[in-house]
Amino acid sequence: MFKLGFIGLGNMGKAMLSGALKNKYVKNTEVIFRKNRNPEEIVEKYKVTSAKDNIEVAQKSKIIVLAVKPNIYAEIIEEIKDSVSENTIIMNITPSFSIKEIQNLFGKNIKVARAMPNTPAMVNAGITGLCFSDNMTDSDKEDIINFTNSFGETVIIKEDLMGGLSAISGSGPAYIYMLIEAMADAGVKEGISRKDSYKLAAKTVEGAAKMVLETGIHPGELKDNVCSPGGTTIAGVIELENNGFRSSIIKGIGKTVDRFKEMNEEK
């Protein structure tokens, strides 16, 4: 029996697997996966077991991560539903299916952990939102939390808040990359090299985030601490406000939540 099984193994799945191995949540010998294209690359890099088919993963795994595209979730579940035991935990990492919908597809009261990891998991700096089906035990939940903590940190939320979480942390990295790119473009405009501009912008974002997390000081107060009266920073802050900086972010996240809801209705 394998502790962890993956059906599909794209970028997010590989990030989760890498963290789980690096931080010793599992050993290489405790992982099985099924990937249609180039499975030998995964075996060579991670020294894990390649299954002959999805059913083998389902039969032999304690936790199954469904790391495939939402449009084939129903197809995969139809294939494996008779091969999972009542103690198997299904980890759903797509925004498109609720816990109840996953259970309905299986046709039984399967244990489901609904997770929304994000791409910084690739560098062990992810944040994952989690919620659980009612039939999961405290031990089950602890096991899943230990898994998601192996590639970052974890927040437990109510399932009806998953859309907001997905918009902030799931999609959020894209917004931060846009901010870093824009700051770097401004640096290039001022004559700083592209390489140095990206480093300056990225490290500034990293440092500011650490200030929020490690000091516990409100972001508004931290912002005020940088803004000297009549100084350069407050001039830039006012210009950003005049162009709807904060309201644009709020509206963008709102649109993301709207799309999350639409995707759940489109199935």
Side-chain angles (χ1 to χ4, degrees):
M1 192 72 174
F2 293 87
K3 186 173 183 179
L4 193 58
F6 287 86
I7 295 180
L9 206 59
N11 289 333
M12 182 55 69
K14 285 187 285 188
M16 297 167 76
L17 172 59
S18 179
L21 292 170
K22 182 177 180 181
N23 293 299
K24 297 180 171 50
Y25 170 76
V26 286
K27 300 174 183 177
N28 309 69
T29 54
E30 296 177 306
V31 180
I32 189 170
F33 76 97
R34 172 64 180 173
K35 184 175 184 287
N36 290 332
R37 290 187 294 179
N38 303 318
E40 62 279 355
E41 294 179 4
I42 302 297
V43 173
E44 182 178 353
K45 182 174 181 178
Y46 298 107
K47 307 297 187 291
V48 294
T49 300
S50 177
K52 64 179 183 294
D53 53 32
N54 295 328
I55 291 175
E56 184 180 7
V57 176
Q59 291 174 334
K60 295 181 178 181
S61 303
K62 179 182 177 183
I63 298 169
I64 302 171
V65 182
L66 296 180
V68 295
K69 298 296 184 184
N71 63 314
I72 62 169
Y73 251 59
E75 175 186 335
I76 295 296
I77 291 173
E78 179 64 28
E79 181 183 357
I80 68 171
K81 66 181 184 180
D82 294 327
S83 301
V84 296
S85 75
E86 62 181 12
N87 291 317
T88 304
I89 299 172
I90 301 297
M91 179 174 273
N92 160 27
I93 65 170
T94 176
S96 299
F97 289 89
S98 69
I99 289 171
K100 192 63 181 175
E101 287 170 329
I102 294 292
Q103 291 176 327
N104 287 341
L105 287 170
F106 273 94
K108 52 189 171 184
N109 196 34
I110 195 79
K111 294 180 179 181
V112 181
R114 187 177 184 184
M116 182 52 61
N118 65 2
T119 54
M122 295 178 185
V123 291
N124 283 316
I127 183 77
T128 301
L130 269 182
C131 54
F132 307 102
S133 59
D134 293 338
N135 57 343
M136 287 184 64
T137 66
D138 289 343
S139 177
D140 292 333
K141 294 175 184 179
E142 182 180 3
D143 200 8
I144 293 296
I145 291 168
N146 287 338
F147 174 36
T148 55
N149 280 346
S150 72
F151 47 85
E153 295 187 32
T154 305
V155 174
I156 308 301
I157 65 162
K158 295 179 179 179
E159 188 173 19
D160 60 5
L161 299 177
M162 192 61 84
L165 181 138
S166 174
I168 295 169
S169 61
S171 301
Y175 314 144
I176 301 303
Y177 301 143
M178 292 171 69
L179 172 62
I180 290 171
E181 185 180 33
M183 292 173 68
D185 283 347
V188 172
K189 179 176 177 291
E190 296 302 322
I192 303 171
S193 72
R194 174 65 64 181
K195 180 180 177 180
D196 286 345
S197 290
Y198 276 128
K199 185 171 185 177
L200 286 165
K203 289 297 291 184
T204 297
V205 169
E206 179 187 43
K210 288 190 73 173
M211 287 282 285
V212 172
L213 292 170
E214 295 182 12
T215 68
I217 299 172
H218 190 284
E221 184 177 348
L222 290 170
K223 180 263 295 178
D224 290 348
N225 291 342
V226 187
C227 296
S228 302
T232 56
T233 305
I234 191 62
V237 167
I238 295 301
E239 183 65 16
L240 289 172
E241 290 286 25
N242 287 339
N243 286 279
F245 183 68
R246 285 190 290 185
S247 64
S248 292
I249 293 170
I250 293 168
K251 290 177 182 177
I253 289 174
K255 283 291 186 182
T256 307
V257 174
D258 290 344
R259 182 57 187 149
F260 179 96
K261 293 176 181 177
E262 290 171 0
M263 288 175 67
N264 278 266
E265 293 170 357
E266 287 173 355
K267 298 185 300 296

